Amino acid sequence: QVQLVESGGGSVQAGGSLRLSCGASGASGSFNRMGWFRQAPGKEREGVAAIGNRGRVREYSTSVKGRFTISQDNAKNTLYLQMNSLKPEDTAMYYCAAAPALFGTSLLPRDYNYWGQGTQVTVSS
């Protein structure tokens, strides 16, 4: 049904920037709730940023607030995560997630029903 494909990951030095993209397709309705999650080896999946209400509301985890920006191009059904001032602790596999029928934001993995395969982000010191 819904397919999410992440891109833009890579390796960067601390203090650098990356922009992740997530293309969404296959849903009959609009992609109202979308988010970015990350998971480092040996750790649980963590909500990073979320966008909802057709892009009108945003939510960020404390660890990335002020450094990351989530945005959405509704015409293209594409989600973005601009990551600035990257730190080594940002190193993780980053996943795009969507809940097309829901409208608010959430940083809980259980509130999303579609997931991409992930893109690796590695930040070196």
Side-chain angles (χ1 to χ4, degrees):
Q1 295 182 346
V2 174
Q3 184 176 12
L4 305 175
V5 181
E6 302 97 333
S7 63
S11 298
V12 65
Q13 288 188 323
S17 298
L18 286 172
R19 189 180 76 159
L20 306 183
S21 299
C22 173
S25 63
S28 60
S30 61
F31 293 85
N32 296 304
R33 174 185 290 176
M34 301 191 75
W36 288 98
F37 295 78
R38 66 188 183 187
Q39 188 166 21
K43 302 184 68 175
E44 294 185 346
R45 189 165 298 184
E46 172 191 18
V48 175
I51 189 167
N53 291 351
R54 299 178 178 88
R56 297 186 62 188
V57 294
R58 297 174 177 85
E59 184 180 6
Y60 298 93
S61 68
T62 301
S63 62
V64 308
K65 187 177 297 183
R67 299 187 297 119
F68 291 9
T69 302
I70 188 171
S71 61
Q72 185 178 61
D73 187 332
N74 292 315
K76 298 180 179 179
N77 287 135
T78 302
L79 183 72
Y80 302 97
L81 184 67
Q82 179 66 47
M83 305 186 295
N84 298 326
S85 301
L86 284 163
K87 304 175 181 180
E89 51 262 45
D90 295 319
T91 296
M93 184 73 73
Y94 282 72
Y95 298 90
C96 173
L102 303 177
F103 302 101
T105 60
S106 174
L107 294 178
L108 299 175
R110 65 173 180 240
D111 287 337
Y112 294 82
N113 53 351
Y114 295 100
W115 295 84
Q117 293 300 117
T119 184
Q120 179 67 40
V121 172
T122 302
V123 184
S124 60
S125 60

